[in-house]
Amino acid sequence: MYPQTHVYFAEAILGYKSDPVSLGSVLPDMLIGEHFNHCEAHCKGVEIYNFLTKNHALQDFGQAVLTHGFTPEGLDYYGDEKYLDYEKGYSFEKARPFVQKTIEACRIPPEMGWWKAHNIIEMGVELIVGSAGHYNEQLKSAFTNHALVSEVSEMLQDLWKDKNLRFSGRVKTFTGFIELEKPGVESLAQKYKVQMQYKHKVEIDTKKVADLIYKAAEAVSTDLQHFFQNTSALVKDNLKSLTKP
């Protein structure tokens, strides 16, 4: 899912909001890059949480990280990997009718279609969630909390001494790729254009993508809250087993 959705979900799981919760909720996506691929970055939650627990530091941040990834099973597990009896996760299942139009709008080869169509669904979710709350402001607060960013940077360096993550730089880079205002279909499409240029060197048709995002929001509107309710219960159970004294 997209950043404002992750903030919303982490707050729903933990029952409160804070800069550490907001930053922790998006950390796995910020780890993707030189040292960790997408899957690896989404499987570091337990390692990070256990390290923080051992050092009695950043507990809220660590718990928020646990709500995000694949291992332990967080929001992106149920969105991407597996949900109910679907072949993959919720976002992929909802993306099936969008594949061909996504291929055309994003000017990508067919083999990339389902993956990128699932991004369209995620942006539809982001549109709904972000429009209903102030999660963009919470992200901005976390990203500009220099003491927190510095503390997280030091923690990650202590945890992975052989890796220079340059976390402060990652924060700056990450904010350039995501929507930090109230999301609209046009603004989400423009940010997706930046992402697709950077990752795949393709020029998407932002007007067509914006239209697809609007239709994606319509497509998920009937069962999105049910998805969040189901996954919240599952993730809370997962966290209880990991965080109990």
Side-chain angles (χ1 to χ4, degrees):
M1 293 293 181
Y2 272 55
Q4 295 186 42
T5 305
H6 277 294
V7 176
Y8 156 80
F9 190 75
E11 290 179 4
I13 296 297
L14 300 179
Y16 56 90
K17 61 184 179 181
S18 69
D19 285 353
V21 168
S22 297
L23 189 60
S25 75
V26 297
L27 181 75
D29 288 335
M30 300 177 72
L31 292 179
I32 300 168
E34 179 183 355
H35 299 289
F36 303 116
N37 63 30
H38 185 271
C39 184
E40 290 168 340
H42 282 67
C43 295
K44 296 295 182 183
V46 173
E47 184 179 358
I48 291 169
Y49 178 77
N50 287 344
F51 182 80
L52 292 172
T53 300
K54 179 182 176 181
N55 289 277
H56 307 288
L58 291 167
Q59 293 293 285
D60 294 352
F61 173 87
Q63 289 190 53
V65 175
L66 294 175
T67 69
H68 182 123
F70 299 161
T71 306
E73 294 167 0
L75 180 61
D76 277 0
Y77 174 82
Y78 298 107
D80 292 0
E81 297 296 298
K82 188 65 180 174
Y83 182 63
L84 302 179
D85 60 350
Y86 301 155
E87 180 182 349
K88 289 176 70 66
Y90 172 86
S91 299
F92 276 89
E93 186 65 24
K94 302 296 285 191
R96 288 184 185 275
F98 290 82
V99 172
Q100 187 55 44
K101 288 188 179 298
T102 298
I103 291 169
E104 295 167 4
C106 294
R107 299 169 177 142
I108 52 175
E111 58 268 23
M112 293 174 63
W114 199 16
W115 174 258
K116 296 308 176 184
H118 117 281
N119 286 158
I120 298 292
I121 295 296
E122 291 180 326
M123 285 186 278
V125 173
E126 186 85 339
L127 180 66
I128 293 171
V129 171
S131 298
H134 298 284
Y135 307 107
N136 64 308
E137 296 298 336
Q138 286 151 236
L139 279 170
K140 284 192 281 189
S141 178
F143 290 146
T144 56
N145 185 332
H146 301 300
L148 173 63
V149 170
S150 178
E151 187 176 3
V152 170
S153 181
E154 290 177 13
M155 177 275 294
L156 293 174
Q157 196 60 59
D158 286 343
L159 174 59
W160 297 311
K161 297 183 186 300
D162 61 329
K163 297 175 174 61
N164 184 8
L165 293 175
R166 298 182 292 275
F167 184 69
S168 296
R170 284 174 183 258
V171 170
K172 184 177 181 180
T173 300
F174 189 67
T175 58
F177 286 118
I178 66 171
E179 179 55 78
L180 282 174
E181 302 301 332
K182 284 274 190 178
V185 292
E186 290 85 4
S187 64
L188 287 167
Q190 285 296 330
K191 287 294 183 179
Y192 198 56
K193 176 181 179 179
V194 174
Q195 295 169 31
M196 292 293 282
Q197 286 174 329
Y198 180 78
K199 292 180 180 178
H200 304 294
K201 306 296 188 290
V202 297
E203 289 287 336
I204 68 170
D205 185 323
T206 53
K207 188 175 184 301
K208 288 183 178 179
V209 168
D211 184 56
L212 287 174
I213 294 168
Y214 179 82
K215 290 175 179 175
E218 288 186 324
V220 302
S221 63
T222 56
D223 61 1
L224 180 60
Q225 285 307 313
H226 190 252
F227 168 72
F228 282 142
Q229 288 168 4
N230 279 349
T231 52
S232 292
L234 292 166
V235 173
K236 283 179 182 178
D237 285 344
N238 294 341
L239 263 61
K240 281 180 184 176
S241 65
L242 290 166
T243 61
K244 62 185 178 183

